[in-house]
């Protein structure tokens, strides 16, 4: 699998304050990578470094296999499109005129494709309406169109649904999925809207205090978020043997705790265990959310 972005022990310091602290990330081609972290965790700083707007204090990163200290990094960055914090829009211009200016800025050889871009983001019928009169969702979609002007195959979106109403969130979600599935664009999204990210992300990186504390695929995460039975036991080996023999999906959390994944009738599950003389000291049934999973990772702090 081709690696689009690889970050190694990245640090960013401002005097004695570390915004990023040995951050490590790997994003595969075709992924929708959700970068999750509360406000102030370092998400925007990380994105600004990837886009070449800031330099790291220590560590390095590579885009398409090209290191950040290579002279070729400027060339591969042309394969990026990005919205950082808020879209760069000329408020007194129409959507089409905004795209014309961006085409000129990135050196596109012709204006061909602008109408297709407007249609792609659902702004083909805005005519002479100025961007200052657009809704927040329309501005965000125009920002994405501007980021797509240079035909990137890697798109970076910093909090793309921040402040949007439910309809605007749905529109951005559908657009992101369309770009990923139909145009094969790899996408990095930073967000603290965990429920929304869980609907589109294929991979996650959890950022806290400047460090990536966990990277996980959506497939792996779903196993952890599904229905779970936690058993407190004295002899985990006997339980593990039973689970192996019966092809029950489990995880040994520690020498006294076993998590069993999947939907079971709890009464029957406990009865079946008792028939094998497997008696748990404590049994707890839960169904974890992405937000709970994140909060457990960072020690229970509420995300902003």
């Amino acid at each position: 699998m081709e690696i689009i972005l690889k970050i190694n022990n990245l640090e960013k310091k401002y005097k004695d304050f570390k915004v990023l602290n040995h951050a490590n990330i790997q994003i595969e081609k075709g992924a929708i990578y959700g970068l999750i972290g509360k406000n102030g965790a370092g998400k925007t700083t990380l994105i600004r470094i990837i886009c070449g707007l800031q330099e790291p204090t220590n560590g390095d990163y590579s885009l398409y296999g090209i290191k950040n200290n290579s002279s070729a990094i400027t060339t591969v960055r042309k394969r990026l499109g990005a919205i950082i914090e808020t879209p760069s829009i000329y408020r007194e211009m129409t959507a089409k005129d905004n795209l014309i200016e961006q085409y000129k800025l990135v050196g596109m050889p012709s204006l061909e494709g602008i109408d297709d871009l407007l249609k792609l983001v659902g702004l083909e019928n805005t005519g002479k309406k100025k961007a200052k009169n657009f809704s927040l969702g329309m501005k965000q979609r125009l920002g994405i169109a501007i980021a797509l002007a240079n035909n990137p195959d890697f798109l970076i979106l910093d909090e793309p649904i921040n402040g949007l109403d439910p309809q605007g969130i749905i529109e951005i979600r559908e657009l992101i999925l369309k770009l990923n599935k139909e145009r094969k664009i790899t996408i990095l999204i930073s967000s603290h809207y965990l429920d929304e990210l869980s609907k589109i992300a294929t991979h996650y990186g959890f950022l806290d205090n400047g460090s990536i504390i966990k990277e996980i695929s959506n497939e792996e995460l779903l196993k952890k978020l599904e229905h779970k039975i936690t058993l407190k036991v004295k002899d985990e080996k006997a339980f593990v043997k039973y689970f192996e023999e019966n092809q029950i999906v489990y995880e040994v959390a520690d020498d006294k705790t076993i998590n069993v994944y999947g939907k079971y009738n709890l009464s029957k599950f406990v009865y079946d265990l008792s028939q094998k003389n497997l008696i748990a000291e404590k049994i707890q049934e839960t169904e974890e959310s992405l937000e709970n999973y994140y909060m457990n990772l960072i020690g229970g702090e509420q995300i902003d």
Side-chain angles (χ1 to χ4, degrees), residues 242-285:
Y242 174 78
F243 296 150
E244 291 283 353
E245 290 173 349
N246 291 275
Q247 297 183 330
I248 293 172
V249 179
Y250 71 93
E251 172 190 52
V252 177
D254 56 50
D255 59 359
K256 291 185 179 180
T257 308
I258 302 176
N259 296 320
V260 173
Y261 299 100
K263 291 197 174 182
Y264 296 92
N265 180 301
L266 187 59
S267 298
K268 184 178 184 306
F269 181 78
V270 173
Y271 175 78
D272 290 344
L273 289 175
S274 68
Q275 291 299 102
K276 299 293 182 179
N277 293 318
L278 298 172
I279 310 299
E281 296 178 335
K282 183 180 178 182
I283 298 177
Q284 183 178 7
E285 190 177 26

Side-chain angles (χ1 to χ4, degrees), residues 20-211:
L20 295 174
N21 185 21
H22 296 286
N24 294 278
I25 287 178
Q26 182 168 292
I27 300 179
E28 299 176 355
K29 183 177 181 179
I32 299 178
Y33 188 102
L35 181 62
I36 296 174
K38 59 187 177 179
N39 291 334
K43 301 190 299 296
T44 298
T45 298
L46 185 64
I47 286 172
R48 290 180 64 84
I49 288 173
I50 296 166
C51 293
L53 300 175
Q54 291 181 237
E55 290 295 325
T57 306
N58 289 302
D60 59 69
Y61 63 93
S62 58
L63 285 169
Y64 302 95
I66 305 298
K67 286 283 185 71
N68 62 292
N69 56 5
S70 167
S71 59
I73 193 70
T74 303
T75 301
V76 296
R77 276 210 190 95
K78 293 178 181 178
R79 300 174 66 177
L80 293 183
I83 298 179
I84 304 174
E85 297 178 302
T86 57
S88 298
I89 292 172
Y90 294 104
R91 290 170 46 81
E92 296 295 330
M93 288 185 178
T94 65
K96 187 168 186 175
D97 286 341
N98 264 280
L99 281 176
I100 289 171
E101 288 301 311
Q102 186 65 16
Y103 264 52
K104 292 176 181 176
L105 185 64
V106 298
M108 295 297 285
S110 75
L111 300 180
E112 187 179 351
I114 285 180
D115 289 338
D116 290 337
L117 259 184
L118 289 171
K119 186 175 182 180
L120 176 67
V121 300
L123 296 176
E124 70 273 27
N125 296 319
T126 54
K128 295 183 179 180
K129 187 175 184 178
K130 292 182 178 180
K132 67 180 181 180
N133 297 318
F134 284 4
S135 69
L136 188 57
M138 291 170 69
K139 289 176 182 175
Q140 199 69 4
R141 283 183 280 131
L142 176 56
I144 292 176
I146 290 170
L148 294 171
N150 60 323
N151 293 318
D153 46 22
F154 184 26
L155 182 62
I156 299 176
L157 303 174
D158 186 16
E159 300 283 2
I161 61 172
N162 207 12
L164 298 187
D165 61 21
Q167 182 59 36
I169 289 173
I170 291 170
E171 290 169 352
I172 295 297
R173 180 206 310 157
E174 291 176 348
L175 177 56
I176 288 170
L177 288 171
K178 190 173 185 178
L179 293 173
N180 179 253
K181 301 300 181 187
E182 296 181 12
R183 295 208 169 193
K184 310 301 181 185
I185 297 176
T186 303
I187 301 174
L188 167 61
I189 307 172
S190 81
S191 185
H192 59 264
Y193 288 89
L194 304 192
D195 180 59
E196 190 57 34
L197 263 185
S198 69
K199 296 172 184 174
I200 58 175
T202 63
H203 297 76
Y204 300 89
F206 296 90
L207 186 67
D208 187 48
N209 293 323
S211 299

Side-chain angles (χ1 to χ4, degrees), residues 278-301:
L278 298 172
I279 310 299
E281 296 178 335
K282 183 180 178 182
I283 298 177
Q284 183 178 7
E285 190 177 26
T286 58
E287 192 159 4
E288 195 170 22
S289 68
L290 176 57
E291 184 165 354
N292 286 338
Y293 179 80
Y294 171 79
M295 289 173 66
N296 287 334
L297 278 178
I298 65 172
E301 295 179 51

